[in-house]
Amino acid sequence: MTLRSAAPEGGDYAPPGRRVLRLGPASWAWRPRAAAVCLLAAVLLLALFARALVAFDDYPMGIAEAVRVLLGGGEGGQHFIVFELRMPRALTGALVGAALGLSGALLQGIARNPLASPDTLGIGWGASVGAVAVIVVGGSAGGVSGAAAQFGVPAGAVAGGLAAAFAVFALAWRAGVHGGRLLLTGVAVSLICANLAYWAMAWSDVQDAARAQTWVTGSLHAADWERVGAAAVALAVLLPAALIAARTVGALGLGDDTALGLGVRVDRARAGLLFCAALLVCAATAAAGPINFVALAAPQIALRLCRSPEPPVLASPLLGGALTLGADQLAAGLFPVQLPVGVFTSVLGAPFLMYLIIVRHREARL
């Protein structure tokens, strides 16, 4: 990788005085502030991850004890607590939060609207409907069992999320897709999917409804190494694809005519970004259920910290992971009974959503 002064050379462009990072045919403008935010977010994420290993539940453990267990020492009970209870939960939270943060950055870049997120566009609820449908249809009736039950619920979540994303894109299409129409269509699809999920739970028996509750509220309580592996594989595949697809977000933010003038196939680029974002949300929901407002808040916090023109695609997943881990630890420690992290983020996210609506309204009046 090389660092050179900016110049409109070989098709690359950056503002005067800005440097450009080159890696083969790809290049990025060097932004020191964004790099500093990414570094601080990574440090915060690591600190929260370490805290999750030493002081998360009713079995406090010192840092020295945790390090000794990680190095292969410690007692059998400590080994079980760290490697079977706390680490899968922390890793699942970090991976799910990163996927949600990146998907939110992509969706807000597509819609050019800070209110766009998997929560408001219905993709998360679509994934929930798919998972709940598999549980209700194949639960007590015995239609899905064994390996089919183990993989059927995540597969249902992925299918439901992709179906919701396709419905939003198709219903919003009017000789192209525009941000406002995409957002309104997504809100309608979100409400429909939410009601379908609750209707399916009301139709099922008590045991199936209790099992399906995780896929409606969002929780890390049941995290295990299987979910960690699935989420890690999904993020390892989708993260590079999303970063490559995100190279068109900046051009889309300049408007359709300008993006077309720069050689961007606008509708194809939006469809690709929406597909990547939907897969990221489906992978996150399949691992932990819907954790609302992380995908909405992380890109907006990253945007304000980096002072970038569009939601940053590197800082957003780092902050998404940190937000999810922090919210899970607060939900577990603030109250006498541990709350699902999805419930806690919903409570915190509602005021942030109102703040974004007020800011958006003020900007529209200027």
Side-chain angles (χ1 to χ4, degrees), residues 215-237:
W215 302 94
V216 176
T217 58
S219 174
L220 298 175
H221 291 171
D224 54 25
W225 284 108
E226 291 181 356
R227 296 192 183 191
V228 172
V233 170
L235 203 60
V237 173

Side-chain angles (χ1 to χ4, degrees), residues 22-341:
R22 298 184 189 278
L23 181 61
S27 62
W28 299 268
W30 169 248
R31 295 186 173 90
R33 186 182 182 88
V37 171
C38 289
L39 180 61
L40 291 176
V43 171
L44 177 62
L45 180 61
L46 288 175
L48 290 169
F49 183 83
R51 188 181 184 279
L53 297 182
V54 299
F56 189 80
D57 46 31
D58 295 334
Y59 305 97
M61 187 179 299
I63 295 178
E65 292 176 299
V67 171
R68 187 164 55 247
V69 172
L70 291 175
L71 294 177
E75 302 175 356
Q78 293 176 327
H79 189 279
F80 177 79
I81 290 172
V82 171
F83 285 102
E84 300 300 327
L85 297 180
R86 294 177 178 175
M87 189 173 287
R89 182 169 182 163
L91 285 173
T92 303
L95 293 171
V96 165
L100 292 174
L102 181 55
S103 68
L106 297 180
L107 290 173
Q108 290 173 8
I110 298 171
R112 286 184 288 166
N113 192 315
L115 303 179
S117 76
D119 317 322
T120 54
L121 293 184
I123 301 174
W125 272 112
S128 296
V129 169
V132 170
V134 172
I135 293 171
V136 171
V137 173
S140 299
V144 178
S145 61
Q150 183 178 357
F151 297 105
V153 175
V158 172
L162 290 179
F166 177 78
V168 171
F169 193 81
L171 292 173
W173 180 273
R174 293 290 185 279
V177 175
H178 299 280
R181 191 164 56 240
L182 186 72
L183 183 60
L184 291 175
T185 306
V187 171
V189 171
S190 179
L191 292 174
I192 292 172
C193 290
N195 283 284
L196 281 175
Y198 284 116
W199 175 79
M201 290 176 61
W203 179 71
S204 66
D205 63 25
V206 176
Q207 292 183 349
D208 291 342
R211 187 183 171 201
Q213 188 68 28
T214 300
W215 302 94
V216 176
T217 58
S219 174
L220 298 175
H221 291 171
D224 54 25
W225 284 108
E226 291 181 356
R227 296 192 183 191
V228 172
V233 170
L235 203 60
V237 173
L238 293 174
L239 182 61
L243 293 178
I244 293 173
R247 287 172 57 83
T248 59
V249 170
L252 293 175
L254 300 174
D256 289 0
D257 293 337
T258 304
L260 286 170
L262 293 174
V264 176
R265 297 181 179 181
V266 174
D267 292 327
R268 181 177 296 184
R270 284 201 178 101
L273 289 167
L274 182 62
F275 184 67
C276 284
L279 285 178
L280 286 166
V281 176
C282 292
T285 306
I291 300 178
N292 295 322
F293 291 108
V294 173
L296 177 75
Q300 287 302 306
I301 295 173
L303 183 146
R304 283 160 173 75
L305 292 176
C306 295
R307 296 179 182 174
S308 60
E310 65 272 347
V313 294
L314 290 179
S316 297
L318 291 172
L319 284 173
L323 283 177
T324 304
L325 282 181
D328 190 40
Q329 293 175 28
L330 289 174
L334 279 183
F335 308 99
V337 178
Q338 291 191 19
L339 293 178
V341 63

